[in-house]
Short mmCIF file of all heavy atoms in Angstrom, two decimals:
data_model
loop_
_atom_site.label_atom_id
_atom_site.label_comp_id
_atom_site.label_asym_id
_atom_site.label_seq_id
_atom_site.Cartn_x
_atom_site.Cartn_y
_atom_site.Cartn_z
N MET R 1 0.84 -1.20 -0.01
CA MET R 1 0.01 -0.01 0.03
C MET R 1 0.86 1.25 -0.02
O MET R 1 1.86 1.33 0.74
CB MET R 1 -0.89 -0.01 1.23
CG MET R 1 -1.86 1.15 1.31
SD MET R 1 -2.88 1.07 2.79
CE MET R 1 -3.46 2.74 2.89
N LEU R 2 0.50 2.22 -0.78
CA LEU R 2 1.23 3.47 -0.90
C LEU R 2 1.05 4.36 0.29
O LEU R 2 -0.07 4.44 0.78
CB LEU R 2 0.85 4.19 -2.18
CG LEU R 2 1.25 3.59 -3.50
CD1 LEU R 2 0.60 4.37 -4.68
CD2 LEU R 2 2.78 3.56 -3.70
N SER R 3 2.06 5.01 0.75
CA SER R 3 1.95 5.95 1.83
C SER R 3 1.28 7.24 1.29
O SER R 3 1.28 7.46 0.07
CB SER R 3 3.28 6.28 2.44
OG SER R 3 4.05 7.03 1.53
N ARG R 4 0.80 8.07 2.15
CA ARG R 4 0.16 9.28 1.72
C ARG R 4 1.17 10.19 0.97
O ARG R 4 0.79 10.80 -0.03
CB ARG R 4 -0.41 10.05 2.96
CG ARG R 4 -1.12 11.36 2.61
CD ARG R 4 -1.78 11.93 3.85
NE ARG R 4 -2.99 11.14 4.21
CZ ARG R 4 -4.20 11.43 3.75
NH1 ARG R 4 -4.38 12.40 2.88
NH2 ARG R 4 -5.26 10.70 4.08
N SER R 5 2.38 10.29 1.47
CA SER R 5 3.34 11.16 0.83
C SER R 5 3.69 10.72 -0.59
O SER R 5 3.85 11.52 -1.49
CB SER R 5 4.59 11.35 1.68
OG SER R 5 5.25 10.05 1.80
N THR R 6 3.77 9.39 -0.79
CA THR R 6 4.06 8.86 -2.11
C THR R 6 2.92 9.20 -3.06
O THR R 6 3.13 9.68 -4.17
CB THR R 6 4.24 7.37 -2.07
OG1 THR R 6 5.27 7.07 -1.14
CG2 THR R 6 4.64 6.81 -3.44
N THR R 7 1.70 9.05 -2.64
CA THR R 7 0.52 9.35 -3.45
C THR R 7 0.52 10.85 -3.82
O THR R 7 0.30 11.19 -4.97
CB THR R 7 -0.77 9.03 -2.66
OG1 THR R 7 -0.68 7.67 -2.21
CG2 THR R 7 -1.98 9.14 -3.59
N ASN R 8 0.84 11.70 -2.88
CA ASN R 8 0.84 13.14 -3.17
C ASN R 8 1.99 13.47 -4.16
O ASN R 8 1.74 14.31 -5.04
CB ASN R 8 1.07 13.91 -1.86
CG ASN R 8 -0.15 13.96 -1.01
OD1 ASN R 8 -1.23 13.66 -1.45
ND2 ASN R 8 -0.01 14.32 0.27
N ALA R 9 3.11 12.84 -4.04
CA ALA R 9 4.21 13.12 -4.92
C ALA R 9 3.80 12.74 -6.38
O ALA R 9 4.09 13.48 -7.32
CB ALA R 9 5.44 12.38 -4.54
N VAL R 10 3.20 11.60 -6.53
CA VAL R 10 2.76 11.13 -7.87
C VAL R 10 1.72 12.10 -8.45
O VAL R 10 1.80 12.48 -9.61
CB VAL R 10 2.18 9.71 -7.77
CG1 VAL R 10 1.55 9.34 -9.12
CG2 VAL R 10 3.30 8.73 -7.43
N ALA R 11 0.76 12.54 -7.62
CA ALA R 11 -0.25 13.46 -8.12
C ALA R 11 0.34 14.81 -8.48
O ALA R 11 -0.04 15.39 -9.50
CB ALA R 11 -1.34 13.64 -6.99
N TYR R 12 1.32 15.25 -7.69
CA TYR R 12 1.93 16.52 -8.01
C TYR R 12 2.67 16.47 -9.35
O TYR R 12 2.58 17.33 -10.16
CB TYR R 12 2.92 16.93 -6.91
CG TYR R 12 3.68 18.19 -7.22
CD1 TYR R 12 3.09 19.40 -7.09
CD2 TYR R 12 5.01 18.10 -7.70
CE1 TYR R 12 3.79 20.58 -7.42
CE2 TYR R 12 5.70 19.25 -8.03
CZ TYR R 12 5.08 20.48 -7.88
OH TYR R 12 5.77 21.60 -8.22
N ARG R 13 3.38 15.36 -9.55
CA ARG R 13 4.16 15.22 -10.78
C ARG R 13 3.24 15.18 -11.97
O ARG R 13 3.47 15.80 -13.01
CB ARG R 13 5.03 13.96 -10.72
CG ARG R 13 6.09 13.94 -11.79
CD ARG R 13 7.16 12.86 -11.46
NE ARG R 13 6.52 11.61 -11.10
CZ ARG R 13 7.20 10.62 -10.48
NH1 ARG R 13 8.42 10.74 -10.15
NH2 ARG R 13 6.54 9.48 -10.17
N ALA R 14 2.12 14.50 -11.88
CA ALA R 14 1.14 14.41 -12.97
C ALA R 14 0.58 15.74 -13.28
O ALA R 14 0.47 16.16 -14.45
CB ALA R 14 0.05 13.42 -12.58
N SER R 15 0.21 16.53 -12.22
CA SER R 15 -0.37 17.86 -12.49
C SER R 15 0.62 18.83 -13.04
O SER R 15 0.33 19.66 -13.87
CB SER R 15 -1.00 18.41 -11.19
OG SER R 15 -0.03 18.72 -10.27
N SER R 16 1.89 18.74 -12.63
CA SER R 16 2.85 19.66 -13.13
C SER R 16 3.17 19.35 -14.58
O SER R 16 3.43 20.25 -15.38
CB SER R 16 4.15 19.63 -12.33
OG SER R 16 4.76 18.38 -12.36
N MET R 17 3.10 18.04 -14.96
CA MET R 17 3.35 17.70 -16.39
C MET R 17 2.20 18.23 -17.21
O MET R 17 2.39 18.72 -18.30
CB MET R 17 3.34 16.15 -16.53
CG MET R 17 4.74 15.59 -16.21
SD MET R 17 4.72 13.81 -16.26
CE MET R 17 4.53 13.55 -18.02
N ARG R 18 0.95 18.15 -16.68
CA ARG R 18 -0.18 18.72 -17.40
C ARG R 18 0.00 20.21 -17.62
O ARG R 18 -0.34 20.78 -18.68
CB ARG R 18 -1.49 18.43 -16.67
CG ARG R 18 -2.15 17.17 -17.08
CD ARG R 18 -3.62 17.09 -16.64
NE ARG R 18 -3.75 17.14 -15.21
CZ ARG R 18 -3.65 16.10 -14.36
NH1 ARG R 18 -3.46 14.93 -14.88
NH2 ARG R 18 -3.77 16.25 -13.08
N ARG R 19 0.43 20.90 -16.56
CA ARG R 19 0.63 22.36 -16.65
C ARG R 19 1.65 22.69 -17.79
O ARG R 19 1.43 23.58 -18.56
CB ARG R 19 1.16 22.90 -15.35
CG ARG R 19 0.08 23.61 -14.51
CD ARG R 19 0.68 24.49 -13.48
NE ARG R 19 1.57 23.81 -12.59
CZ ARG R 19 1.16 23.10 -11.52
NH1 ARG R 19 -0.06 22.97 -11.26
NH2 ARG R 19 2.04 22.47 -10.75
N MET R 20 2.76 21.95 -17.81
CA MET R 20 3.78 22.24 -18.81
C MET R 20 3.23 22.02 -20.22
O MET R 20 3.48 22.81 -21.10
CB MET R 20 5.01 21.26 -18.63
CG MET R 20 5.95 21.74 -17.59
SD MET R 20 7.17 20.52 -17.22
CE MET R 20 7.80 20.19 -18.84
N ARG R 21 2.45 20.93 -20.40
CA ARG R 21 1.93 20.65 -21.70
C ARG R 21 0.95 21.74 -22.16
O ARG R 21 0.95 22.16 -23.24
CB ARG R 21 1.24 19.28 -21.67
CG ARG R 21 1.09 18.63 -23.03
CD ARG R 21 0.55 17.22 -22.90
NE ARG R 21 1.51 16.31 -22.25
CZ ARG R 21 1.26 15.04 -21.99
NH1 ARG R 21 0.12 14.51 -22.30
NH2 ARG R 21 2.14 14.29 -21.43
N ARG R 22 0.11 22.20 -21.17
CA ARG R 22 -0.86 23.23 -21.53
C ARG R 22 -0.18 24.54 -21.91
O ARG R 22 -0.55 25.20 -22.80
CB ARG R 22 -1.79 23.44 -20.31
CG ARG R 22 -3.04 24.21 -20.71
CD ARG R 22 -3.97 24.39 -19.47
NE ARG R 22 -4.15 23.10 -18.75
CZ ARG R 22 -4.17 23.02 -17.41
NH1 ARG R 22 -4.03 24.05 -16.69
NH2 ARG R 22 -4.40 21.87 -16.85
N ARG R 23 0.92 24.89 -21.16
CA ARG R 23 1.63 26.09 -21.45
C ARG R 23 2.22 26.03 -22.84
O ARG R 23 2.21 27.03 -23.61
CB ARG R 23 2.66 26.35 -20.38
CG ARG R 23 3.26 27.74 -20.46
CD ARG R 23 4.46 27.85 -19.53
NE ARG R 23 4.21 27.39 -18.15
CZ ARG R 23 5.06 26.80 -17.37
NH1 ARG R 23 6.26 26.56 -17.79
NH2 ARG R 23 4.75 26.45 -16.14
N ALA R 24 2.77 24.89 -23.21
CA ALA R 24 3.38 24.71 -24.53
C ALA R 24 2.33 24.93 -25.62
O ALA R 24 2.58 25.56 -26.65
CB ALA R 24 4.01 23.38 -24.67
N ALA R 25 1.14 24.42 -25.43
CA ALA R 25 0.09 24.57 -26.42
C ALA R 25 -0.39 26.00 -26.54
O ALA R 25 -0.62 26.49 -27.70
CB ALA R 25 -1.11 23.68 -26.04
N GLN R 26 -0.45 26.73 -25.43
CA GLN R 26 -0.85 28.13 -25.49
C GLN R 26 0.21 28.99 -26.15
O GLN R 26 -0.13 29.97 -26.78
CB GLN R 26 -1.13 28.62 -24.07
CG GLN R 26 -2.44 28.10 -23.51
CD GLN R 26 -2.67 28.55 -22.08
OE1 GLN R 26 -1.73 29.02 -21.44
NE2 GLN R 26 -3.90 28.46 -21.65
N ALA R 27 1.44 28.67 -26.00
CA ALA R 27 2.50 29.46 -26.55
C ALA R 27 2.44 29.48 -28.09
O ALA R 27 2.80 30.52 -28.68
CB ALA R 27 3.87 28.97 -26.11
N THR R 28 2.03 28.41 -28.65
CA THR R 28 2.02 28.31 -30.13
C THR R 28 0.66 28.58 -30.70
O THR R 28 0.54 29.23 -31.75
CB THR R 28 2.53 26.97 -30.57
OG1 THR R 28 1.79 25.96 -29.87
CG2 THR R 28 4.04 26.83 -30.27
N ARG R 29 -0.39 28.02 -30.08
CA ARG R 29 -1.76 28.22 -30.55
C ARG R 29 -1.98 27.85 -31.99
O ARG R 29 -2.47 28.61 -32.77
CB ARG R 29 -2.21 29.69 -30.31
CG ARG R 29 -2.56 29.99 -28.88
CD ARG R 29 -3.93 29.56 -28.54
NE ARG R 29 -4.27 29.68 -27.15
CZ ARG R 29 -4.85 30.76 -26.61
NH1 ARG R 29 -5.14 31.74 -27.40
NH2 ARG R 29 -5.10 30.84 -25.34
N LEU R 30 -1.53 26.65 -32.34
CA LEU R 30 -1.73 26.17 -33.72
C LEU R 30 -3.08 25.45 -33.73
O LEU R 30 -3.26 24.44 -33.09
CB LEU R 30 -0.61 25.27 -34.17
CG LEU R 30 0.70 25.96 -34.43
CD1 LEU R 30 1.82 24.94 -34.69
CD2 LEU R 30 0.60 26.87 -35.64
N TYR R 31 -3.97 25.93 -34.54
CA TYR R 31 -5.26 25.31 -34.65
C TYR R 31 -5.28 24.31 -35.78
O TYR R 31 -4.76 24.57 -36.88
CB TYR R 31 -6.31 26.45 -34.92
CG TYR R 31 -7.73 26.03 -34.64
CD1 TYR R 31 -8.10 25.77 -33.33
CD2 TYR R 31 -8.64 25.97 -35.64
CE1 TYR R 31 -9.40 25.40 -33.05
CE2 TYR R 31 -9.94 25.63 -35.37
CZ TYR R 31 -10.30 25.33 -34.07
OH TYR R 31 -11.61 24.99 -33.80
N CYS R 32 -5.81 23.15 -35.55
CA CYS R 32 -5.79 22.09 -36.52
C CYS R 32 -6.66 22.42 -37.74
O CYS R 32 -6.13 22.70 -38.82
CB CYS R 32 -6.24 20.75 -35.88
SG CYS R 32 -6.19 19.40 -37.06
N SER R 33 -7.96 22.46 -37.52
CA SER R 33 -8.97 22.82 -38.53
C SER R 33 -8.88 21.98 -39.78
O SER R 33 -9.41 22.33 -40.85
CB SER R 33 -8.81 24.31 -38.93
OG SER R 33 -7.74 24.50 -39.79
N THR R 34 -8.22 20.82 -39.74
CA THR R 34 -8.18 19.88 -40.86
C THR R 34 -9.51 19.12 -40.90
O THR R 34 -9.91 18.43 -39.98
CB THR R 34 -7.04 18.86 -40.72
OG1 THR R 34 -5.83 19.61 -40.56
CG2 THR R 34 -6.93 17.99 -41.94
N ASN R 35 -10.24 19.26 -42.05
CA ASN R 35 -11.54 18.62 -42.22
C ASN R 35 -12.49 18.97 -41.12
O ASN R 35 -13.23 18.15 -40.55
CB ASN R 35 -11.37 17.07 -42.29
CG ASN R 35 -10.58 16.66 -43.50
OD1 ASN R 35 -10.62 17.25 -44.53
ND2 ASN R 35 -9.74 15.63 -43.33
N GLY R 36 -12.40 20.27 -40.68
CA GLY R 36 -13.33 20.74 -39.62
C GLY R 36 -12.92 20.26 -38.23
O GLY R 36 -13.72 20.38 -37.29
N CYS R 37 -11.75 19.77 -38.03
CA CYS R 37 -11.25 19.36 -36.73
C CYS R 37 -11.10 20.57 -35.82
O CYS R 37 -10.63 21.62 -36.25
CB CYS R 37 -9.94 18.62 -36.86
SG CYS R 37 -9.24 18.02 -35.33
N THR R 38 -11.55 20.47 -34.59
CA THR R 38 -11.60 21.66 -33.73
C THR R 38 -10.68 21.51 -32.55
O THR R 38 -10.98 21.92 -31.43
CB THR R 38 -13.00 21.88 -33.19
OG1 THR R 38 -13.44 20.70 -32.52
CG2 THR R 38 -13.98 22.21 -34.30
N SER R 39 -9.46 21.00 -32.74
CA SER R 39 -8.49 20.86 -31.64
C SER R 39 -7.20 21.59 -32.02
O SER R 39 -6.96 21.94 -33.13
CB SER R 39 -8.27 19.43 -31.31
OG SER R 39 -7.73 18.78 -32.41
N PHE R 40 -6.37 21.78 -31.00
CA PHE R 40 -5.08 22.44 -31.24
C PHE R 40 -4.00 21.39 -31.48
O PHE R 40 -4.05 20.27 -30.98
CB PHE R 40 -4.67 23.25 -30.02
CG PHE R 40 -5.48 24.54 -29.87
CD1 PHE R 40 -6.51 24.60 -28.94
CD2 PHE R 40 -5.26 25.59 -30.66
CE1 PHE R 40 -7.28 25.75 -28.81
CE2 PHE R 40 -6.00 26.76 -30.58
CZ PHE R 40 -7.00 26.83 -29.64
N LEU R 41 -3.03 21.77 -32.26
CA LEU R 41 -1.92 20.86 -32.56
C LEU R 41 -0.98 20.83 -31.36
O LEU R 41 -0.72 21.85 -30.70
CB LEU R 41 -1.17 21.35 -33.76
CG LEU R 41 -1.95 21.45 -35.08
CD1 LEU R 41 -1.10 22.01 -36.16
CD2 LEU R 41 -2.52 20.09 -35.46
N LEU R 42 -0.40 19.66 -31.08
CA LEU R 42 0.66 19.52 -30.08
C LEU R 42 2.02 19.67 -30.73
O LEU R 42 2.31 18.97 -31.71
CB LEU R 42 0.56 18.14 -29.41
CG LEU R 42 -0.76 17.88 -28.64
CD1 LEU R 42 -0.73 16.49 -28.04
CD2 LEU R 42 -0.90 18.94 -27.52
N VAL R 43 2.82 20.59 -30.22
CA VAL R 43 4.10 20.90 -30.86
C VAL R 43 5.21 19.97 -30.31
O VAL R 43 5.33 19.83 -29.10
CB VAL R 43 4.46 22.35 -30.61
CG1 VAL R 43 5.88 22.64 -31.15
CG2 VAL R 43 3.47 23.30 -31.20
N ASP R 44 5.89 19.30 -31.21
CA ASP R 44 7.05 18.52 -30.84
C ASP R 44 8.31 19.26 -31.41
O ASP R 44 8.61 19.18 -32.54
CB ASP R 44 6.92 17.10 -31.51
CG ASP R 44 8.04 16.21 -30.99
OD1 ASP R 44 9.07 16.71 -30.47
OD2 ASP R 44 7.88 14.96 -31.12
N GLU R 45 8.91 20.02 -30.52
CA GLU R 45 9.98 20.92 -30.95
C GLU R 45 11.23 20.13 -31.41
O GLU R 45 11.92 20.52 -32.30
CB GLU R 45 10.39 21.85 -29.83
CG GLU R 45 9.23 22.78 -29.53
CD GLU R 45 9.75 24.17 -29.16
OE1 GLU R 45 10.85 24.51 -29.55
OE2 GLU R 45 8.98 24.89 -28.50
N THR R 46 11.48 18.99 -30.76
CA THR R 46 12.65 18.20 -31.14
C THR R 46 12.52 17.61 -32.55
O THR R 46 13.50 17.53 -33.28
CB THR R 46 12.84 17.05 -30.11
OG1 THR R 46 11.67 16.26 -30.05
CG2 THR R 46 13.22 17.61 -28.76
N ALA R 47 11.28 17.24 -32.90
CA ALA R 47 11.04 16.75 -34.26
C ALA R 47 10.78 17.81 -35.28
O ALA R 47 10.81 17.60 -36.46
CB ALA R 47 9.88 15.71 -34.22
N GLY R 48 10.43 19.05 -34.77
CA GLY R 48 10.14 20.15 -35.65
C GLY R 48 8.78 20.06 -36.30
O GLY R 48 8.60 20.55 -37.38
N VAL R 49 7.86 19.38 -35.64
CA VAL R 49 6.53 19.26 -36.19
C VAL R 49 5.48 19.54 -35.14
O VAL R 49 5.71 19.51 -33.94
CB VAL R 49 6.28 17.83 -36.75
CG1 VAL R 49 7.23 17.51 -37.89
CG2 VAL R 49 6.42 16.79 -35.67
N ALA R 50 4.27 19.79 -35.63
CA ALA R 50 3.12 19.98 -34.75
C ALA R 50 2.09 18.90 -35.18
O ALA R 50 1.82 18.79 -36.38
CB ALA R 50 2.54 21.39 -34.88
N ARG R 51 1.58 18.20 -34.25
CA ARG R 51 0.69 17.08 -34.57
C ARG R 51 -0.63 17.18 -33.85
O ARG R 51 -0.69 17.60 -32.70
CB ARG R 51 1.37 15.75 -34.18
CG ARG R 51 0.76 14.55 -34.83
CD ARG R 51 1.68 13.39 -34.68
NE ARG R 51 1.83 12.93 -33.32
CZ ARG R 51 1.01 12.11 -32.72
NH1 ARG R 51 -0.01 11.60 -33.34
NH2 ARG R 51 1.19 11.76 -31.43
N CYS R 52 -1.66 16.78 -34.54
CA CYS R 52 -3.00 16.72 -33.95
C CYS R 52 -3.25 15.35 -33.38
O CYS R 52 -3.16 14.35 -34.14
CB CYS R 52 -4.06 17.10 -35.00
SG CYS R 52 -5.74 16.96 -34.36
N GLU R 53 -3.59 15.25 -32.09
CA GLU R 53 -3.83 13.97 -31.47
C GLU R 53 -5.20 13.41 -31.93
O GLU R 53 -5.39 12.18 -31.85
CB GLU R 53 -3.85 14.14 -29.95
CG GLU R 53 -2.50 14.54 -29.37
CD GLU R 53 -1.69 13.27 -29.03
OE1 GLU R 53 -2.04 12.66 -28.00
OE2 GLU R 53 -0.74 12.95 -29.77
N ILE R 54 -6.07 14.23 -32.36
CA ILE R 54 -7.41 13.78 -32.72
C ILE R 54 -7.46 13.14 -34.07
O ILE R 54 -7.88 12.01 -34.26
CB ILE R 54 -8.42 14.97 -32.66
CG1 ILE R 54 -8.30 15.67 -31.33
CG2 ILE R 54 -9.83 14.48 -32.88
CD1 ILE R 54 -8.49 14.83 -30.09
N CYS R 55 -6.99 13.89 -35.10
CA CYS R 55 -7.12 13.35 -36.52
C CYS R 55 -5.77 12.87 -37.07
O CYS R 55 -5.78 12.27 -38.07
CB CYS R 55 -7.73 14.41 -37.40
SG CYS R 55 -6.63 15.81 -37.67
N GLY R 56 -4.69 13.14 -36.31
CA GLY R 56 -3.39 12.58 -36.77
C GLY R 56 -2.71 13.48 -37.76
O GLY R 56 -1.63 13.10 -38.26
N TYR R 57 -3.18 14.64 -38.02
CA TYR R 57 -2.64 15.57 -38.92
C TYR R 57 -1.25 16.09 -38.42
O TYR R 57 -1.12 16.41 -37.21
CB TYR R 57 -3.58 16.76 -39.19
CG TYR R 57 -2.96 17.87 -40.03
CD1 TYR R 57 -2.73 17.73 -41.39
CD2 TYR R 57 -2.59 19.05 -39.45
CE1 TYR R 57 -2.18 18.72 -42.15
CE2 TYR R 57 -2.01 20.11 -40.16
CZ TYR R 57 -1.86 19.92 -41.53
OH TYR R 57 -1.31 20.91 -42.26
N THR R 58 -0.26 16.11 -39.24
CA THR R 58 1.11 16.58 -38.81
C THR R 58 1.54 17.69 -39.71
O THR R 58 1.46 17.62 -40.99
CB THR R 58 2.10 15.42 -38.96
OG1 THR R 58 1.65 14.33 -38.16
CG2 THR R 58 3.43 15.88 -38.38
N ARG R 59 1.96 18.78 -39.09
CA ARG R 59 2.43 19.97 -39.84
C ARG R 59 3.86 20.28 -39.47
O ARG R 59 4.23 20.18 -38.30
CB ARG R 59 1.55 21.14 -39.46
CG ARG R 59 1.96 22.44 -40.18
CD ARG R 59 1.18 23.63 -39.59
NE ARG R 59 -0.26 23.52 -39.78
CZ ARG R 59 -1.11 24.33 -39.38
NH1 ARG R 59 -0.71 25.40 -38.64
NH2 ARG R 59 -2.41 24.17 -39.53
N ARG R 60 4.67 20.60 -40.47
CA ARG R 60 6.04 20.99 -40.23
C ARG R 60 6.12 22.42 -39.71
O ARG R 60 5.36 23.30 -40.16
CB ARG R 60 6.92 20.88 -41.52
CG ARG R 60 7.20 19.45 -41.92
CD ARG R 60 8.05 19.42 -43.19
NE ARG R 60 8.99 18.30 -43.09
CZ ARG R 60 10.20 18.39 -42.60
NH1 ARG R 60 10.62 19.56 -42.17
NH2 ARG R 60 11.00 17.37 -42.57
N LEU R 61 6.99 22.63 -38.72
CA LEU R 61 7.05 23.98 -38.12
C LEU R 61 7.88 24.91 -38.87
O LEU R 61 7.74 26.12 -38.90
CB LEU R 61 7.57 23.88 -36.67
CG LEU R 61 6.61 23.21 -35.69
CD1 LEU R 61 7.24 23.10 -34.32
CD2 LEU R 61 5.31 24.00 -35.57
N HIS R 62 8.93 24.40 -39.58
CA HIS R 62 9.90 25.27 -40.28
C HIS R 62 9.94 25.05 -41.76
O HIS R 62 9.65 23.99 -42.19
CB HIS R 62 11.27 25.07 -39.66
CG HIS R 62 11.31 25.28 -38.18
ND1 HIS R 62 11.07 26.51 -37.56
CD2 HIS R 62 11.46 24.44 -37.15
CE1 HIS R 62 11.11 26.36 -36.28
NE2 HIS R 62 11.34 25.09 -35.97
ZN1 ZN I 101 -7.06 17.57 -36.05
#
């Protein structure tokens, strides 16, 4: 059984990862709009692409 502190640490790490991901999406604000898709693209800076998790559309950043 997990101790309370271990559970809190895991929850904190998960929430901070979500925060980072959300901030990255807001910084770029790339809208998918492929075939009427209404989601934002997730930017992968190391690969140099932005990808839509919903429809799978991939756009080159440079
Ligand atoms: Zn899409």
Side-chain angles (χ1 to χ4, degrees):
M1 183 179 161
L2 291 172
S3 70
R4 179 174 288 272
S5 63
T6 304
T7 308
N8 285 344
V10 170
Y12 175 78
R13 195 164 49 196
S15 69
S16 63
M17 278 176 67
R18 267 198 299 275
R19 257 199 303 279
M20 277 172 54
R21 201 173 293 176
R22 195 179 310 140
R23 193 188 307 147
Q26 285 178 343
T28 52
R29 282 278 173 93
L30 287 172
Y31 198 65
C32 181
S33 78
T34 305
N35 297 324
C37 181
T38 57
S39 60
F40 288 104
L41 301 175
L42 296 178
V43 176
D44 187 343
E45 296 217 20
T46 55
V49 297
R51 194 165 68 86
C52 178
E53 292 270 286
I54 308 303
C55 68
Y57 173 72
T58 304
R59 179 188 299 176
R60 286 182 145 270
L61 290 177
H62 304 293

